[in-house]
Each structure stands twice: as C-alpha cells, then as structure tokens.
Amino acid sequence: MATNALKLPEVEYMLPGNRACAGCSVGIVFRHLSKALEGKAIFVVPASCFTVLCGMYPTASVTVPVMNSVFPGTAACASGIAASLKKQGREDMTVVAMAGDGGTADIGIQGLSGAAERNANVFFVCYDNEAYMNTGTQRSGLTPLGAQTSTTPTFGKLQFPKDMPAIVEAHHIPYIA
Ligand SMILES: Cc1ncc(C[n+]2csc(CCOP(=O)(O)OP(=O)(O)O)c2C)c(N)n1
Ligand SMILES: [Mg+2]
C-alpha cells in the first residue's frame, strides 16, 4: 500500500446516494479501505448490508469490481480469484473479502478457515456490527453478552461472543488486526 490513514487520496470509490443506512460503519470501512488500496482491489461480498450498499445490477454504488458470493462462500471465492490473478501474473490487484460478523464468524467460518489454512493471498475484512443487521437484527456469534436482538431473550444474549482473532490466530497466518 502506497498510502496511510492520514494521507488518503481525494478520489472516491463509493458514490453518494447509496443504500447504506445513515451512520453505518460499513460505508466508512469500505471508503477508507478502497482509498488505502487506491482502488486496485477486487472485492468479494456475501449477503450482508454491504451488498445493499453496493446496489443491484445494473446499477452500482461502488466503482471497484465486486463479486457477490453466496453467504458461506466469501473466502472460497476470494481464494479462487487470488489464484486466477496469480496465474495471470497480476500482482497489482488486492483481493478483499469483506463480510459482516455473521458472514465471518458463523456461516462463513469454514471457508475462512480453509483459506487461512492454505494461506491464500487474500485480505479478509470482518466489519462487525454485532448482529445480522441486513435481515432484522438477529443475534450472531459475535453479538456481545447481554446485547438485545430480535432473537435473544428479553434480558439479552446469554453467551459470550466468539474470540474470532484467537480462532484465526490458531491458523498461523502472517497478519491479524
Ligand atoms: C444460506 C443463507 N442463509 C441465510 C441468508 C439470509 N441472510 C442474508 S444476509 C443475512 C445476515 C448477514 O449478517 P452479517 O453477516 O452480520 O452482515 P450485516 O447484515 O450485519 O451487514 C442473512 C441471514 C442467506 N442469504 N443465505
Ligand atoms: Mg452484522
């Protein structure tokens, strides 16, 4: 990466008028990430609020390539794209898998584990809004203890969230943050 958080380029890769809810972190995450990568990225996005932000064909709210994957398949699709880019000698593009907490810690965890175990050349980003927001705020494996969602008891979630960084760390990959 040729830039840092204090020197993000002026160019925008997320267009105004997109369908994200006002104030949602997913737009901020994508906006900064795409700037940091100077738009040289292919995104893989499962069903999530981020899909909603990106828009429906034939219109789009982002100016970088985005592949919509099935909910569990994000890391597998990203692995395949990375392998294809390698075969083509394209080292200028970063493959970014960007999933919500549900798409990362619950349904997407097996694909993520496989990609991590193979040390796939993929940048996996989990934007953790702490529930299945896109479908009505159901609890996820990363919803915090005590948080109230549409599928938790009145007094909130009874379980601790999964320790996702520790789970990923157990795969001995080169970078986790
Ligand atoms: C196999 C499958 N099951 C359920 C769904 C319905 N579904 C779409 S998005 C979503 C929740 C996504 O939650 P999360 O990954 O946290 O992303 P967020 O919506 O919070 O951005 C669900 C349950 C689906 N698309 N595919
Ligand atoms: Mg979520």
Side-chain angles (χ1 to χ4, degrees):
M1 282 183 225
T3 187
N4 66 49
L6 298 175
K7 293 183 182 169
L8 292 176
E10 293 287 315
V11 57
E12 298 290 347
Y13 301 97
M14 186 177 91
L15 303 174
N18 64 67
R19 295 168 68 223
C21 299
C24 176
S25 62
V26 66
I28 297 164
V29 172
F30 173 75
R31 186 164 173 252
H32 285 206
L33 188 55
S34 56
K35 282 172 178 259
L37 294 167
E38 297 178 341
K40 298 190 191 78
I42 298 173
F43 281 75
V44 182
V45 183
S48 60
C49 294
F50 190 29
T51 337
V52 177
L53 185 156
C54 291
M56 280 188 291
Y57 181 84
T59 60
S61 303
V62 296
T63 63
V64 294
V66 173
M67 179 185 174
N68 277 125
S69 75
V70 290
F71 204 13
T74 320
C77 291
S79 299
I81 294 172
S84 171
L85 289 172
K86 185 180 177 191
K87 185 83 177 167
Q88 297 172 62
R90 293 284 306 269
E91 290 179 5
D92 55 322
M93 298 292 273
T94 302
V95 182
V96 183
M98 191 165 142
D101 45 302
T104 301
D106 294 335
I107 197 168
I109 198 168
Q110 50 86 11
L112 174 58
S113 174
E117 186 250 345
R118 296 187 302 270
N119 198 16
N121 190 19
V122 165
F123 195 40
F124 193 105
V125 177
C126 170
Y127 68 95
D128 182 9
N129 53 17
E130 302 186 341
Y132 293 172
M133 291 302 192
N134 172 54
T135 43
T137 323
Q138 295 88 3
R139 85 190 269 297
S140 81
L142 295 188
T143 299
L145 178 75
Q148 289 182 334
T149 71
S150 58
T151 54
T152 38
T154 315
F155 298 109
K157 188 181 171 189
L158 301 174
Q159 298 82 18
F160 284 100
K162 297 180 188 179
D163 187 348
M164 239 1 245
I167 292 170
V168 177
E169 186 184 13
H171 292 73
H172 314 295
I173 59 170
Y175 176 80
I176 307 165

